[in-house]
Amino acid sequence: MTTKMDLLRFVTSGSVDDGKSTLIGRLLFDTKTIFKDQLESVEKTSKLKGEDSINLALITDGLKSEREQGITIDVAYRYFATPKRKFILADTPGHVQYTRNMVTGASNSTLSVLLIDARNGVIEQTKRHTFIAALLGIKHLIVCVNKMDLVDYKEDIYNKIVDDFISFASKTDIPDISFIPISAKDGDNVVNRSTNMDWYNGSTFLHALENTYLMSDYERVNCRFPVQYVIRPRRDGFQDYRGYAGRIAGGVFKKGDEIVVLPSGFNSKIKKIEHLGKEVDLAFPPMSVNILLENEIDIDRGDMIAKKFSPPKIDQDIDVMIAWMGNEPLVIGKKYSIKHNTNDAKCVIKDVRYKIDINTLHRQKDEKKIGLNDIGRINIRTSKPLLFDTYKKNKITGSIILIDENTNNTVGAGMIV
């Protein structure tokens, strides 16, 4: 089974001043994927700031306040392509106060690029971002040990950082971790191989991005189709048309498959699958399709089509690992709105089971206060049953968002456990 869309979504993370924006600027510059007017603007700004060469970080630091402070504040998305692959990158802030922005950028990514300053080694933010990547189910992590030029390209410094990182990361469950020594400022091992580190025989950064294998990341076993919209044109030629639109969240659906519609429990067969206006024999993640059934069944937005023998869980009491993004701390007993796939509900937080110490990954069972940028495990009760899987099993059906009903702000990103 193949897909024509070879798209990699990745996020850059690391502490402030580790060189995330410079790395991406170098990548875009050396692959010649910057618009001429954008490059001229960056050259002009660099000269006005009195810099001798082009400040590559300015390519991604788009906000005025970011350029003034020299740091990334918001998530900056960039789109580019090489002959081998299309890319959507999320350049996220490194400062601890903007950790929630990092969570936002990483939530839709399948690969994380983590930068470490060779002079500082593994620090608290390194651990925080590694844990968040693991929590969000990111399976591919490229660790770039940056600023090797400032430590005279010494191999022993690089090796110690690799050892320190592996010692910490062994406590997480990220299966694919690779390491690359780079100098983003000078371009060593970014697009072109460095002549200053002949002791390194691994991939360049671009080669690693282009060749990371992604197809195994999608859930292919358990069929999940959250219904987003019911299509009933009610016009000539489509009087009896009733299709269910949405994005395949798991498994492989085929014409003729016996399915169950949840939560009603009605059974039917797939009569037709349409993708981009054409009929197809099968559909799989992340395709957006219309599914037509042989029977007339009352189906609404928020319902789910699945296979009879592998349904999702249905429950109102749910355990969630929550990354708190609200300025106000989580309140036990308070009601929040919950968004789960195409479904909306209300919920109340019943308990905080524990809070995670980012440095040690220790579970603080007596700590009930979850504030901005904290991560902990909570138990919620929803106003109606949700159809879900664990996040580890399916990232789409296993994730939720909590919204404060008073402010309408998103206050928590949750992974169902």
Side-chain angles (χ1 to χ4, degrees), residues 220-288:
R220 300 288 194 187
V221 178
N222 297 290
C223 291
R224 304 286 183 263
F225 183 72
V227 176
Q228 185 175 10
Y229 187 68
V230 180
I231 300 176
R232 301 204 64 184
R234 300 180 186 278
R235 55 186 170 83
D236 291 345
F238 294 90
Q239 293 295 340
D240 297 325
Y241 188 97
R242 187 182 180 91
Y244 306 102
R247 180 185 176 199
I248 304 289
V252 179
F253 287 91
K254 299 190 294 292
K255 183 179 177 180
D257 277 350
E258 294 186 355
I259 56 89
V260 60
V261 179
L262 299 170
S264 67
F266 290 122
N267 297 320
S268 184
K269 281 188 177 182
I270 295 178
K271 182 171 69 176
K272 184 187 290 186
I273 303 174
E274 297 173 340
H275 175 59
L276 299 177
K278 297 180 180 178
E279 184 174 350
V280 295
D281 292 331
L282 55 83
F284 48 87
M287 292 171 64
S288 294

Side-chain angles (χ1 to χ4, degrees), residues 127-138:
K127 298 176 180 178
R128 183 185 297 274
H129 288 170
T130 303
F131 178 67
I132 291 173
L135 191 65
L136 292 172
I138 292 177

Side-chain angles (χ1 to χ4, degrees), residues 102-109 131-139 323 391 395 413-415:
M102 186 269 171
V103 174
T104 301
S107 61
N108 290 318
S109 300
F131 178 67
I132 291 173
L135 191 65
L136 292 172
I138 292 177
K139 297 180 179 178
Y391 187 84
K395 292 175 67 173
M415 286 62 70

